[in-house]
């Protein structure tokens, strides 16, 4: 699929995602000669993301239109509707508690400090992607899952190889398939170990649900892989793009408070469009009628920049009346959003506290965008400290 550059300064985008489109819903060509409806208006986007008449499960069927070559797994929580989705989400929510996320803060603080120490001692210019914005999320996810410290180097290498943000490698599909098998095998072995020696971590809670008969072994492994897929690339991309926005003057570096970081999440969404949904009956979106069987995607990029909602600056001392859609909306709202926010709220201020004079390195190659358009981020970000 061809790529166009966004006038919003957000890097490569799918060709159908015209950043200047004024229409709230338009029919766009996608992979294999198929078409989808692209929704660009905030109110209509929220409706699509939360309305049960738009099905994620139907979009995962082989015959459904796709905007990318990869078919979503029908066994993933992200590709389910109704009771099955609710069952898995309840189990995941019981493991992904606010306390468990908050308890990771000291680990994230310590890991960020160690990574910044290594950046300070390393070569110049320093690549912040390989040195900071990519390794921090994978280390955090390993801690959440309960990966033992001795296993983390092998675990992190496989995650980076499978979901990596760096430049592609020769025979990339074979490379990814091999590391997917390595991760599946590792997760199976880790599950067996945690059955014998349970801990207070995400994976141990899921294992208890599995042993109670509410979660199958395949679902248990899929949960772990889905967490890595949804939590690594997106957070790594969000961190790298937020740093780039700050280096480019997109926000005040000396005021990296919660509100400023939330604005960075809104204005630089890692995922430019939502997962597809298929209408299960005719649905009116404003003046447009989506027919049963037609696929719809929501431009999170457009919706988050909808001037009718976000034109005014953030109110002083308060919050916006509307929430951005970077983490989705409705029953598929991202369970990992609190963990992503926690990492950004720690990682960004610590970076500037450590390197107050941080700036982009000179040269055209200092910023390189990663391959792939499903989740965006940088493959390289060279800086001088």
């Amino acid at each position: 699929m061809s790529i166009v550059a966004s006038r919003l300064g957000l890097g490569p985008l799918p060709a159908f995602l015209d950043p200047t489109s004024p229409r709230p819903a338009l029919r766009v060509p996608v992979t294999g000669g198929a078409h989808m409806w692209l929704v660009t208006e905030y109110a209509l986007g929220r409706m699509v993301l939360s309305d049960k008449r738009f099905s994620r499960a139907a979009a995962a069927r082989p015959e459904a239109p796709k905007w990318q070559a990869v078919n979503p797994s029908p066994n993933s929580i992200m590709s389910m509707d109704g009771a099955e989705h609710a069952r898995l989400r309840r189990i995941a929510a019981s493991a992904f508690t606010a306390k468990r996320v908050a308890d990771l803060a000291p680990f994230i603080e310590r890991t960020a400090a160690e990574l910044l120490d290594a950046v300070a001692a390393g070569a110049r210019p320093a690549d912040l992607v390989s040195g900071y914005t990519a390794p921090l999320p994978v280390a955090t996810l390993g801690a959440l899952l309960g990966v033992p410290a001795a296993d983390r180097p092998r675990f992190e290498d496989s995650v980076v190889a499978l979901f990596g943000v760096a430049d592609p490698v020769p025979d990339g599909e074979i490379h990814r398939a091999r590391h997917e098998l390595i991760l599946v095998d590792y997760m199976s072995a880790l599950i067996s170990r945690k059955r014998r020696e349970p801990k207070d971590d995400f994976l141990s809670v899921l294992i208890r649900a599995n042993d109670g008969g509410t979660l199958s072994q395949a679902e248990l492994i899929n949960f772990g892989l889905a967490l890595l897929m949804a939590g690594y690339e997106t957070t790594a991309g969000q961190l790298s793009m937020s740093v780039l926005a700050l280096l480019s003057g997109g926000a005040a570096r000396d005021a990296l408070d919660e509100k400023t970081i939330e604005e960075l999440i809104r204005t630089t969404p890692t995922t430019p469009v939502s997962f597809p949904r298929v209408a299960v009956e005719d649905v009116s979106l404003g003046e447009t009628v989506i027919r049963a069987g037609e696929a719809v995607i929501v431009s999170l990029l457009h919706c988050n920049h909808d001037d009718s909602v976000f034109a005014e600056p953030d109110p002083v001392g308060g919050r916006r009346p509307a929430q951005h859609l970077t983490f989705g909306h409705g029953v598929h709202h991202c369970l990992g959003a609190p963990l992503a926010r926690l990492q950004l709220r720690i990682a960004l201020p610590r970076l500037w506290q450590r390197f107050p004079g941080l700036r982009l390195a000179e040269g055209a190659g200092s910023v390189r965008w990663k391959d792939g358009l499903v989740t965006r981020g940088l493959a390289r970000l060279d800086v001088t400290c």
Side-chain angles (χ1 to χ4, degrees):
M1 183 176 293
S2 61
I3 298 172
V4 295
S6 167
R7 296 204 311 176
L8 298 170
L10 294 171
L13 296 170
F16 62 76
L17 200 61
D18 179 358
T20 64
S21 173
R23 297 172 59 187
L26 63 157
R27 197 164 177 263
V28 296
V30 290
T31 301
H35 287 79
M36 288 184 175
W37 287 97
L38 175 70
V39 175
T40 62
E41 184 180 273
Y42 178 84
L44 296 182
R46 276 174 59 100
M47 175 185 170
V48 170
L49 295 177
S50 59
D51 195 312
K52 294 180 180 179
R53 294 174 294 177
F54 293 104
S55 168
R56 284 286 300 121
R61 293 171 187 155
E63 69 274 13
K66 307 288 186 294
W67 79 264
Q68 51 173 315
V70 179
N71 287 324
S73 169
N75 299 317
S76 167
I77 187 174
M78 295 179 285
S79 299
M80 293 180 175
D81 299 323
E84 276 298 280
H85 173 264
R87 175 180 67 88
L88 293 180
R89 191 171 177 94
R90 278 194 302 272
I91 296 169
S94 70
F96 219 134
T97 62
K99 181 181 184 303
R100 181 162 286 112
V101 170
D103 285 348
L104 284 169
F107 174 86
I108 298 170
E109 293 268 11
R110 186 169 61 253
T111 304
E114 292 169 354
L115 291 170
L116 291 174
D117 284 346
V119 169
R124 294 292 181 271
D127 173 24
L128 283 186
V129 173
S130 62
Y132 191 55
T133 63
L136 182 62
V138 71
T140 301
L141 289 170
L144 176 71
L145 285 169
V147 175
D151 292 357
R152 282 177 190 162
R154 179 164 64 102
F155 170 78
E156 292 171 9
D157 286 348
S158 292
V159 173
V160 170
L162 181 57
F163 303 114
V165 296
D167 292 332
V169 298
D171 298 322
E173 289 305 314
I174 297 173
H175 182 80
R176 286 174 64 90
R178 181 169 66 250
H179 282 279
E180 183 171 7
L181 288 174
I182 290 171
L183 267 180
V184 169
D185 288 345
Y186 175 77
M187 293 288 289
S188 298
L190 183 61
I191 288 165
S192 296
R193 191 188 321 178
K194 287 186 177 294
R195 279 207 170 94
R196 297 191 302 269
E197 303 171 5
K199 306 288 186 182
D200 184 25
D201 54 52
F202 182 85
L203 201 53
S204 293
V205 174
L206 294 185
I207 288 168
R208 286 195 288 273
N210 168 257
D211 292 344
T214 57
L215 195 65
S216 71
Q217 180 77 1
E219 287 172 336
L220 181 57
I221 294 173
N222 277 337
F223 251 128
L225 293 176
L227 176 66
L228 294 173
M229 180 179 68
Y232 169 58
E233 264 194 302
T234 53
T235 305
Q238 191 69 65
L239 273 170
S240 66
M241 290 193 297
S242 296
V243 173
L244 179 61
L246 291 165
L247 289 170
S248 305
R253 305 178 201 177
D254 57 352
L256 283 173
D257 56 10
E258 181 178 323
K259 188 189 300 185
T260 302
I261 291 171
E262 199 64 25
E263 280 294 273
L264 286 168
I265 295 171
R266 176 183 72 86
T267 56
T268 59
T270 308
T271 306
V273 298
S274 71
F275 288 115
R277 287 156 170 80
V278 168
V280 296
E281 61 182 79
D282 292 356
V283 184
S284 294
L285 292 181
E287 298 180 356
T288 301
V289 177
I290 311 299
R291 302 296 179 188
E294 292 184 326
V296 183
I297 45 179
V298 176
S299 171
L300 308 181
L301 185 62
H302 283 87
C303 292
N304 281 359
H305 289 85
D306 188 334
D307 286 344
S308 68
V309 179
F310 297 110
E312 297 300 321
D314 229 359
V316 176
R319 294 182 178 275
R320 288 190 179 278
Q323 297 296 311
H324 62 70
L325 300 181
T326 295
F327 295 116
H329 180 64
V331 296
H332 281 280
H333 183 271
C334 178
L335 275 170
L339 182 57
R341 287 187 169 105
L342 178 64
Q343 292 178 81
L344 287 159
R345 290 168 186 172
I346 291 173
L348 294 177
R350 298 305 174 272
L351 176 62
W352 261 272
Q353 289 166 8
R354 184 63 184 272
F355 303 117
L358 193 72
R359 63 187 186 278
L360 274 175
E362 295 182 1
S366 61
V367 177
R368 290 215 309 271
W369 291 87
K370 80 176 188 70
D371 265 13
L373 303 174
V374 180
T375 57
R376 298 174 310 110
L378 301 180
R380 189 171 188 91
L381 179 59
D382 285 346
V383 297
T384 56
C385 305

